[in-house]
Amino acid sequence: MPGRKRTALSYHSPRQKRSRARSRPQMPVPQDAVPELQMPVPQEIDLAVPEVTLPKGLRYEPDNFKQELSIGSLRANCLHCAAYKFPGETPAMCCSNGKVDLQPLPALPSPLNELFGGEALNSKHFLENIRKYNAVFQLTSLGCKEANPRGWNPQFRIQGQLYHLIGSLHADGQNPPSFLQIYFLNDDDQVARRKSIFDGLLHPVLLDIQESLKENHKYAKEIRCAYEFAASQDLQDFSIIIKESARPAGTHPGRYNKPDFKEVAVLMPNEPAGHRDIVLRLRDNGLRRISEIHGAYDSLQYPLLMPFATDGWNLDLKMTSRYKITQNQFYCFHFFTRLGNYLLQARKLFQLYLVDA
């Protein structure tokens, strides 16, 4: 615009600004202008922790640790189920004050009784390798989704829950027989196949266990009998079914009345099966999951712990009242120490059964 003087704009870089600031003369500051810093006087701090009354179980009294730690001794103090318990355990832990009235597991047959005892020949070897011996005789396999965390991890971790799987009656031809399929071989081939699964298994021990289960395990016997019957009738397409609806061994007949019929039978292609029944087909490439509320769930997986195939927990078990027995109540009853309870002698196999239960 006319009459207005134009001024030129100047731009200074950051480097130029710093150099100009250093070139400016610094004005001296008088000594009396600097304020004297006053340091605060340290105060006494009370570090005493206020007294808090903790629950009895959380109190730490060092004087008590000089004595030997003891939680008492086991004694048969349950008037209902004769379970051995420690003094601090509640009366309802074992049998809910008599409301859970179950039959104990039957005594082990010979020679399993001698092997569990720890004093017979090969008993020490058997107990040290009891999980391997159970694995070569189990009729089902253990399934789970394994969790693989990063880095080195010596533990076996799973995601979700454990479950049991069962295959077909015959092998697919590409793999050797396993689990239930081994029971359909002749006696010599059964021992040879089981001995090849793990190293170090003794032939006499395998033969003794095989003869005992062949005579006592009801599912191993009835499945083989049903298979031989179907083969003698020249049936080409059939299945074998383990029925769910049968009176469990741990219930009283007066509390659960049902007609006596075989739990294992031959199933033709057009015959229906219950949704919880275990159906075994001749040949099937896949594995089928077993319902965890089936009475045979435990005995098919742990034949050495249930050599008579005693039925486990199921929906038909009831207390002395009208209420049903829960899984927790069932396993608490069987896991307590009693005379004749051999489960606690099974070492690592008992630990596996605990985790599975």
Side-chain angles (χ1 to χ4, degrees), residues 276-294:
R276 295 195 186 103
D277 293 339
I278 301 175
V279 180
L280 309 174
R281 296 181 175 85
L282 278 178
R283 289 180 176 83
D284 190 358
N285 294 330
L287 298 173
R288 289 175 304 282
R289 182 171 175 173
I290 299 176
S291 174
E292 60 272 8
I293 60 177
H294 195 289

Side-chain angles (χ1 to χ4, degrees), residues 21-324:
R22 287 193 298 267
S23 61
R24 293 174 184 167
Q26 300 292 332
M27 299 296 295
V29 180
Q31 294 294 331
D32 54 356
V34 179
E36 184 179 356
L37 296 177
Q38 299 294 332
M39 299 299 294
V41 179
Q43 302 289 333
E44 248 184 64
I45 301 175
D46 186 13
L47 299 178
V49 180
E51 185 177 354
V52 180
T53 303
L54 296 175
K56 185 177 180 181
L58 300 179
R59 296 177 191 170
Y60 175 72
E61 299 176 0
D63 295 337
N64 294 340
F65 286 83
K66 297 178 182 179
Q67 304 173 359
E68 183 180 359
L69 181 63
S70 176
I71 59 175
S73 58
L74 284 172
R75 61 179 183 269
N77 57 351
C78 181
L79 302 178
H80 305 284
C81 65
Y84 288 82
K85 297 197 294 185
F86 291 101
E89 292 180 311
T90 60
M93 286 186 66
C94 51
C95 62
S96 298
N97 288 326
K99 296 179 182 179
V100 178
D101 185 16
L102 297 172
Q103 296 296 322
L105 294 174
L108 289 170
S110 181
L112 284 176
N113 187 33
E114 290 78 11
L115 291 174
F116 270 79
E119 298 180 358
L121 181 65
N122 298 324
S123 177
K124 181 179 179 181
H125 161 80
F126 168 77
L127 292 175
E128 291 176 351
N129 300 274
I130 189 170
R131 285 185 61 179
K132 293 182 179 179
Y133 279 104
N134 184 82
V136 298
F137 283 99
Q138 61 190 20
L139 289 78
T140 57
S141 60
L142 190 67
C144 64
K145 182 179 180 182
E146 186 175 356
N148 296 316
R150 294 182 179 180
W152 181 78
N153 183 27
Q155 299 174 341
F156 176 73
R157 297 187 178 185
I158 65 169
Q159 182 179 358
Q161 70 179 46
L162 296 172
Y163 48 87
H164 296 176
L165 302 172
I166 196 165
S168 58
L169 298 174
H170 287 176
D172 56 5
Q174 300 178 356
N175 300 309
S178 58
F179 301 107
L180 175 64
Q181 301 165 354
I182 302 179
Y183 283 85
F184 298 101
L185 305 176
N186 60 55
D187 294 345
D188 294 337
D189 291 341
Q190 285 189 40
V191 176
R193 173 66 185 117
R194 291 187 171 107
K195 194 175 181 180
S196 65
I197 297 177
F198 294 110
D199 295 331
L201 300 184
L202 300 181
H203 186 278
V205 177
L206 289 172
L207 187 59
D208 288 342
I209 298 175
Q210 179 175 298
E211 292 299 322
S212 179
L213 295 180
K214 182 180 178 181
E215 181 181 354
N216 299 300
H217 199 282
K218 65 178 180 181
Y219 292 123
K221 290 193 302 181
E222 294 182 9
I223 289 174
R224 182 160 184 169
C225 290
Y227 176 81
E228 292 175 352
F229 170 78
S232 65
Q233 300 298 318
D234 199 19
L235 300 178
Q236 300 299 325
D237 189 9
F238 68 93
S239 301
I240 295 179
I241 180 175
I242 304 177
K243 300 177 183 178
E244 180 206 9
S245 56
R247 186 178 69 81
T251 56
H252 296 301
R255 230 185 292 146
Y256 190 79
N257 292 316
K258 280 198 173 183
D260 185 16
F261 60 91
K262 286 188 175 296
E263 300 175 48
V264 179
V266 177
L267 186 70
M268 300 307 295
N270 297 327
E271 292 185 86
H275 65 284
R276 295 195 186 103
D277 293 339
I278 301 175
V279 180
L280 309 174
R281 296 181 175 85
L282 278 178
R283 289 180 176 83
D284 190 358
N285 294 330
L287 298 173
R288 289 175 304 282
R289 182 171 175 173
I290 299 176
S291 174
E292 60 272 8
I293 60 177
H294 195 289
Y297 187 82
D298 289 339
S299 59
L300 295 176
Q301 181 71 21
Y302 304 98
L304 297 190
L305 299 181
M306 292 88 174
F308 294 101
T310 307
D311 287 332
W313 179 85
N314 54 81
L315 294 176
D316 296 319
L317 294 177
K318 293 184 179 181
M319 293 189 284
T320 54
S321 58
R322 60 186 177 87
Y323 297 103
K324 294 184 178 181

